[in-house]
């Protein structure tokens, strides 16, 4: 593994560990202290915000592809100034249009969403820039600033002011988005200098970036649509309690991003530079081992439900189904999605994703028709993940699997669900960890040895 990849993994992992500490507290305190309706309001806003990237229409992803694999020093300051300023002007206009629409519809949550477009997409621009150029330390600082400030605001509303109204939390979230964006703009000035060489707005730059990145953006947002489709179904067909419980399960699932994000983010930069099939296959198998191991964090989450948040205990089965889907999603996003991007195959990625969204929609409808329960949508999500996994294999046949590598994730999913459904948190955790160690050693012995060697080096 290259030194740059190790450093990238370390920086993003450290950022995510800090995020984990604050998000753990936030995601357990909010449902505990707030009413179901207030918590549902916050989760609805977060669901809307997951689609905010649609409103740069591919510009940020065009920049991501344009600068991917380069260092900041290799990029022309004039070019970067024009690129950034064009997006800034474009997003100001987009925000105004969306705000007018939200006011006409008289939807308060949509108004907060409209206000979030400008700061979130500009902040995402900087995150993607630092990710594409390997500046993972700066990427980590952006993540930490956002999480810590939102955490402090949430704790202020709950413990100091003591309010139980979701809209106060939405207001503080939007305020934090603007603070982080302004800080990033000021930091960028240090990199680019005060001298202004670039244009304030370039229509050519706008169209080129959108043209290059629109398929990737729609693909990424289609991925979000696929993974959030179940929540839309729950929100539309079931009551606020079911939506709050389902959203809580999704929040627990998101904790895995602490460990998953360093892998998915740094591998893009790595695949831009590495074309050796043996190395890529080795990395894929390591990710398979990693995905089967990381889902074990569902058991501590279940333990907290059993002793601390009993009113959300009905979300446990949903949580295990969603975590099992992540065994496939982590492999897809870490390996196959990054390979699509690195090899400039975003059009194929987009087509496959559209197919999976249609399949996912059909699965959700059929599962709900069979059993009108919130768990049915989680089953639909798992089935969609499996289909996406197989569709991805078809585009990268040169990463051939042997029979053990093919069976491994399916054996882990079955064991994980049995342990999660049939046992309480502690015995389920012990059985699953033991099974994972044994099966991994039998099916992926080289990767297990490699993982243990890496752990030893970290400890030393």
């Amino acid at each position: 593994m290259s030194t740059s990849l190790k450093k990238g993994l370390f920086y993003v992992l450290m950022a995510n560990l800090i995020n984990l500490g604050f998000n753990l507290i936030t995601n357990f305190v909010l449902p505990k202290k707030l009413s179901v309706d207030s918590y549902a309001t916050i989760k609805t806003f977060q669901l809307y915000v997951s689609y905010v990237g649609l409103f740069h229409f591919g510009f940020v992803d065009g920049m991501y592809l344009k600068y991917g694999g380069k260092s900041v020093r290799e990029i022309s300051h004039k070019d970067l100034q024009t690129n950034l300023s064009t997006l800034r002007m474009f997003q100001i206009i987009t925000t105004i249009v969306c705000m007018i629409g939200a006011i006409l519809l008289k939807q308060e949550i949509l108004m907060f969403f409209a206000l979030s477009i400008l700061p979130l997409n500009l902040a995402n621009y900087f995150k993607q820039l630092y990710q594409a150029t390997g500046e993972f330390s700066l990427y980590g600082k952006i993540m930490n600033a956002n999480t810590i400030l939102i955490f402090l605001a949430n704790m202020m509303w709950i413990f100091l002011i003591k309010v139980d109204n979701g809209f106060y939390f939405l207001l503080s979230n939007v305020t934090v988005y603007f603070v982080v964006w302004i800080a990033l703009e000021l930091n960028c000035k240090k990199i680019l200098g005060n001298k202004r060489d670039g244009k304030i707005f370039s229509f050519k730059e706008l169209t080129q970036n959108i043209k290059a990145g629109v398929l990737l953006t729609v693909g990424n947002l289609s991925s979000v649509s696929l993974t959030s489709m179940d929540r839309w179904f729950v929100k539309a067909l079931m009551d606020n309690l079911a939506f709050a419980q389902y959203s809580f399960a999704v929040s627990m699932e998101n904790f895995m991003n602490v460990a998953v994000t360093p892998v998915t983010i740094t591998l893009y930069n790595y695949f831009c530079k590495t074309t050796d099939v043996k190395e890529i296959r080795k990395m894929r198998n390591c990710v398979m081992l990693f995905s089967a191991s990381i889902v074990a964090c569902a058991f501590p989450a279940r333990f907290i439900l059993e002793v601390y948040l009993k009113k959300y205990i009905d979300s446990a089965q949903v949580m295990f189904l969603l975590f099992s889907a992540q065994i496939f999603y982590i492999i897809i996003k870490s390996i196959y999605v990054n390979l699509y991007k690195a090899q400039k195959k975003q059009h194929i990625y987009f087509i496959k994703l559209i197919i999976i969204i249609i399949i996912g929609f059909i699965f959700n409808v059929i599962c709900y028709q069979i059993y009108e329960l919130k768990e049915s949508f989680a089953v639909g999500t798992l089935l969609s993940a499996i289909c996406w996994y197989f569709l991805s294999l078809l585009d990268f046949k040169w990463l051939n699997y042997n029979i053990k590598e093919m069976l491994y994730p399916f054996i882990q999913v079955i064991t994980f669900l049995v342990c999660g459904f049939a046992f309480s948190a502690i015995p389920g955790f012990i059985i699953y960890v033991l099974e994972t160690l044994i099966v991994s050693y039998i099916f992926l012995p080289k990767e297990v040895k490699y993982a243990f060697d890496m752990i030893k080096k970290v400890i030393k």
Side-chain angles (χ1 to χ4, degrees), residues 224-243:
V224 172
S225 298
L226 177 63
T227 54
S228 64
M229 186 186 298
D230 47 357
R231 278 176 286 164
W232 286 110
F233 272 101
V234 175
K235 186 164 182 62
L237 299 174
M238 308 192 83
D239 58 21
N240 256 2
L241 177 61
F243 179 72

Side-chain angles (χ1 to χ4, degrees), residues 210-224:
I210 290 176
K211 184 179 179 180
V214 66
L215 285 180
L216 184 55
T217 296
V218 176
N220 289 338
L221 286 165
S222 297
S223 176
V224 172

Side-chain angles (χ1 to χ4, degrees), residues 351-407:
I351 293 169
K352 291 294 176 73
L353 209 43
I354 294 299
I355 294 171
I356 287 298
I357 289 174
I358 295 170
I359 292 173
F361 184 88
I362 293 170
F363 276 140
N364 276 281
V365 171
I366 293 174
C367 290
Y368 185 70
Q369 289 295 321
I370 296 172
Y371 293 109
E372 294 186 0
L373 302 169
K374 60 183 181 295
E375 288 79 9
S376 298
F377 301 115
V379 172
T381 298
L382 173 58
L383 294 175
S384 301
I386 294 171
C387 286
W388 192 5
Y389 180 71
F390 279 114
L391 276 178
S392 298
L393 300 187
L394 296 176
D395 291 323
F396 300 96
K397 292 179 181 179
W398 46 272
L399 280 177
N400 58 308
Y401 285 74
N402 60 41
I403 187 65
K404 289 182 179 179
E405 292 167 345
M406 183 61 72
L407 290 175

Side-chain angles (χ1 to χ4, degrees), residues 249 302 305 312-321 421:
R302 183 190 178 99
L305 284 174
Y312 285 91
I313 191 65
D314 287 343
S315 64
Q317 289 189 342
V318 170
M319 181 174 66
F320 276 93
L321 287 164
F421 281 31

Side-chain angles (χ1 to χ4, degrees), residues 15-76:
N16 277 339
L17 286 174
I18 294 170
N19 268 266
L20 174 63
F22 290 101
N23 281 328
L24 272 173
I25 300 171
T26 300
N27 282 284
F28 287 120
V29 169
L30 290 184
K32 180 72 174 179
K33 296 294 184 180
L34 297 178
S35 64
V36 169
D37 287 340
S38 293
Y39 184 67
T41 296
I42 295 169
K43 302 312 286 187
T44 300
F45 172 72
Q46 291 175 353
L47 180 59
Y48 290 171
V49 163
S50 65
Y51 291 87
V52 75
L54 178 64
F55 292 86
H56 61 68
F57 297 95
F59 189 101
V60 173
D61 289 297
M63 175 277 297
Y64 184 73
L65 295 171
K66 181 179 181 180
Y67 298 138
K70 298 179 181 178
S71 70
V72 172
R73 292 180 295 276
E74 293 173 337
I75 301 171
S76 163

Side-chain angles (χ1 to χ4, degrees), residues 125-159:
Y125 178 93
F126 289 109
K127 283 199 292 185
Q128 297 277 59
L129 173 65
Y130 298 145
Q131 177 184 336
T133 56
E135 298 289 334
F136 297 111
S137 176
L138 291 170
Y139 174 90
K141 289 176 182 178
I142 299 172
M143 289 182 61
N144 289 340
N146 206 62
T147 300
I148 293 170
L149 290 173
I150 288 177
F151 167 80
L152 293 174
N154 288 338
M155 296 306 105
M156 175 192 72
W157 292 125
I158 291 173
F159 294 109

